[in-house]
Amino acid sequence: MSGTTQKTVTITLDGTNRKLTVPLMHGTAGADVFDIRKLYGELGVFTYDPGYGATASCESKITYIDGDVGILQYRGYPIEQLADHSNFLEVCYLLLNGELPNAVQAAEFNKGVMHHTMLHEQIRSFYNGFRRDAHPMAVMCGVVGALSAFYHDSLDINDPESRRISAFRLVAKLPTIAAWAYKYTIGQPFMYPRNDLTYAENFLYMFHGVPTEEYKVNPVLSKAMDLIMILHADHEQNASTSTVRLAGSTGANPFACIAAGIASLWGPAHGGANEAVLKMLADIGHVDNIPDFLSEVKDKNNHAKLMGFGHRVYKNYDPRAKIIQQACHDVLHELGIEGDPLLDLAMALEKIALTDPYFVDRKLYPNVDFYSGIILKAMGFPTSMFTALFALSRTVGWITQWQELIEDPEQRIGRPRQIYTGPAERDYVPVDKRA
Ligand code: SDX
């Protein structure tokens, strides 16, 4: 059970023992945390934690990860069970509301989302401002941020109804925005959403469909799409979620906060890794080249990374990677793509890396991005769209975390401190007196 106990901590500074009473917070699961808010007042020192690897930025009830064991739970439900039995809109309801919906709640929620999938007609012309070869993530950043200019009726972050409608709008419209970002780059007409389809079917329809012929949704692809969205829905305080929370802590509107999250996710160290994995596999080219590539990765003078491997929290197999790897096999088999060379190369690379002391010693295992690119490519998505698909899936997690932040009575504007190691105070020197 969660709670807080007061702990007496003795710190010896320059030979002097200082006894401090520090609150120790206990969660439902995972590591306890010291509440260090009074440390500066008591000792005149800050803590130093670049990248916040050992710092809890908030108290959250949404998602729990045990990186040592490879556990991921949304509101207490193991990701494996949700992957097997749930669907993405049900997971959205679970994340946003904290409980699985009953049949009536699910029907009402699904209807609410599917009736907000259209974009304001003026947003169509917004796309025309981009070059046709713009990266879809650049378009997503711009268009999602622009939603702030269209929905003045739901920008009051302190109004629960405004927060609820903003969450509906963002979850509902991101697939349309992402599909249109792709259609724009290939010069095809935008496909309007269809409310008679499921969330995943509708996305595939808007992405692959054309006005000139009927589009039949392949159930194998829609099931795989729904699974991929479930697996990417939320993941504690990762870089993009922390970006959304930091933006939200200033009182910025939800659309601007989600646009900031999309920008942060784009980086190759984060959500851009799935695109980078495909490029890495293409560069390696053949199983015979794997040893040379891994030698480059281990060479400190080289900046090559084994993309799709490693994680700040998982020091064991990312449970999402296991689920996606199996889905890869299922989708390729059901699509009749036997022996995808990319999948074969990825599995050979994984097998070799998992026995190599360099990666074993550093607890580097495949993460969600290692296989997601392979299944997305097999499903007919261009590499440039991979991170956009991650963004549309993660939007529900971002907006849930944003809601939790706004409703948290302890939330304050995020403002980290620093240790200053620049020049000591000095006087201005007129230009004619300088060397
Ligand atoms: C996601 O945070 C989340 O939850 C993110 C995410 C989510 O759902 O939101 O899970 C999604 O972003 C997954 C990660 C996708 N990124 C990649 O696959 C890019 C490749 N991975 C690395 O860039 C790296 O592993 C990170 C960024 C993911 C984690 O970086 P850390 O925690 O800062 O790890 P580190 O740099 O401290 O690594 C420790 C050691 C270092 O070597 P030494 O200095 O000790 O000799 O491991 C090495 C690193 O150089 N290392 C790697 C490596 N990852 C870490 N070496 C080669 N290849 C890698 N991929």
Side-chain angles (χ1 to χ4, degrees):
M1 209 36 211
S2 53
T4 302
T5 48
Q6 301 298 324
K7 291 291 180 187
T8 302
V9 174
T10 303
I11 293 178
T12 304
L13 270 183
D14 303 330
T16 308
N17 281 349
R18 296 288 306 272
K19 280 193 186 308
L20 301 179
T21 302
V22 185
L24 184 65
M25 299 170 71
H26 314 284
T28 314
D32 291 343
V33 298
F34 272 123
D35 179 340
I36 57 163
R37 283 176 286 185
K38 292 193 168 58
L39 193 65
Y40 180 67
E42 302 255 0
L43 289 180
V45 295
F46 294 131
T47 56
Y48 180 63
D49 183 18
Y52 314 112
T55 297
S57 62
C58 63
E59 178 180 339
S60 180
K61 302 179 183 339
I62 300 166
T63 294
Y64 173 66
I65 298 170
D66 181 331
D68 295 329
V69 182
I71 285 173
L72 168 60
Q73 297 167 354
Y74 294 159
R75 301 287 190 179
Y77 292 97
I79 192 67
E80 294 82 1
Q81 295 184 29
L82 294 171
D84 284 345
H85 306 299
S86 190
N87 62 70
F88 182 66
L89 279 189
E90 183 177 76
V91 166
C92 288
Y93 184 98
L94 171 66
L95 287 169
L96 286 163
N97 298 284
E99 298 296 336
L100 288 168
N102 61 34
V104 172
Q105 290 164 333
E108 196 179 302
F109 180 80
N110 294 2
K111 185 165 178 264
V113 170
M114 295 312 287
H115 282 75
H116 283 84
T117 52
M118 282 207 298
L119 293 174
H120 190 293
E121 269 300 293
Q122 275 183 253
I123 290 184
R124 287 175 60 101
S125 49
F126 202 86
Y127 281 80
N128 296 330
F130 292 96
R131 286 174 38 147
R132 290 285 180 177
D133 61 354
H135 193 288
M137 285 297 278
V139 177
M140 297 268 284
C141 285
V143 175
V144 171
L147 293 179
S148 318
F150 287 84
Y151 295 115
H152 296 94
D153 64 337
S154 65
L155 296 183
D156 178 1
I157 64 168
N158 297 308
D159 169 30
E161 183 55 16
S162 285
R163 295 201 295 268
R164 192 184 69 84
I165 189 65
S166 296
F168 262 121
R169 281 176 166 152
L170 282 157
V171 170
K173 296 179 193 304
L174 258 290
T176 311
I177 291 169
W180 286 14
Y182 170 64
K183 287 294 192 187
Y184 182 74
T185 61
I186 60 172
Q188 281 190 0
F190 292 160
M191 298 295 284
Y192 283 100
R194 276 180 46 188
N195 298 344
D196 60 317
L197 298 176
T198 68
Y199 191 89
E201 289 171 345
N202 180 44
F203 175 66
L204 293 174
Y205 164 73
M206 293 189 291
F207 192 91
H208 292 299
V210 287
T212 50
E213 56 193 47
E214 189 190 353
Y215 176 75
K216 282 202 173 310
V217 179
N218 179 327
V220 170
L221 296 185
S222 57
K223 180 167 174 278
M225 191 72 243
D226 196 86
L227 170 65
I228 288 165
M229 293 191 290
I230 289 174
L231 297 178
H232 287 81
D234 193 52
H235 213 240
E236 287 192 0
Q237 307 311 315
N238 57 83
S240 52
T241 297
S242 299
T243 302
V244 170
R245 278 183 171 260
L246 201 53
S249 75
T250 71
N253 74 72
F255 304 106
C257 294
I258 300 305
I262 292 171
S264 173
L265 184 76
W266 195 357
H270 190 13
N274 49 22
E275 185 174 348
V277 166
L278 264 286
K279 186 183 178 310
M280 174 187 74
L281 292 173
D283 291 346
I284 293 170
H286 190 276
V287 175
D288 296 346
N289 302 331
I290 290 176
D292 286 349
F293 172 72
L294 293 182
S295 300
E296 284 175 27
V297 170
K298 295 180 228 175
D299 174 2
K300 284 300 174 192
N301 299 317
N302 197 309
H303 296 291
K305 289 262 186 196
L306 179 50
M307 300 310 282
F309 260 67
H311 197 277
R312 173 57 55 77
V313 176
Y314 288 123
K315 301 308 173 189
N316 199 319
Y317 221 99
D318 181 337
R320 302 168 298 177
K322 282 183 186 167
I323 296 168
I324 285 195
Q325 188 195 54
Q326 183 51 51
C328 261
H329 289 293
D330 299 345
V331 167
L332 290 167
H333 173 71
E334 283 154 340
L335 291 177
I337 306 170
E338 296 306 340
D340 179 340
L342 272 183
L343 179 58
D344 296 342
L345 180 57
M347 291 180 70
L349 179 56
E350 176 192 346
K351 191 165 176 228
I352 295 169
L354 291 182
T355 56
D356 185 313
Y358 180 89
F359 301 98
V360 174
D361 295 349
R362 290 167 176 79
K363 297 186 178 180
L364 301 177
Y365 290 85
N367 59 53
V368 66
D369 293 298
F370 189 65
Y371 285 104
S372 59
I374 296 165
I375 193 171
L376 291 171
K377 183 175 183 298
M379 293 169 67
F381 292 108
T383 309
S384 63
M385 278 299 295
F386 289 1
T387 309
L389 298 180
F390 193 148
L392 83 81
S393 307
R394 183 56 56 88
T395 293
V396 64
W398 286 331
I399 200 67
T400 302
Q401 297 272 352
W402 172 80
Q403 277 186 164
E404 186 175 69
L405 166 96
I406 300 301
E407 292 160 8
D408 179 353
E410 291 213 316
Q411 79 95 9
R412 307 164 67 204
I413 188 168
R415 185 18 176 121
R417 304 305 295 266
Q418 64 171 20
I419 179 166
Y420 175 70
T421 56
E425 185 176 336
R426 53 185 170 167
D427 294 327
Y428 181 79
V429 177
V431 65
D432 56 0
K433 297 273 190 300
R434 294 172 207 160

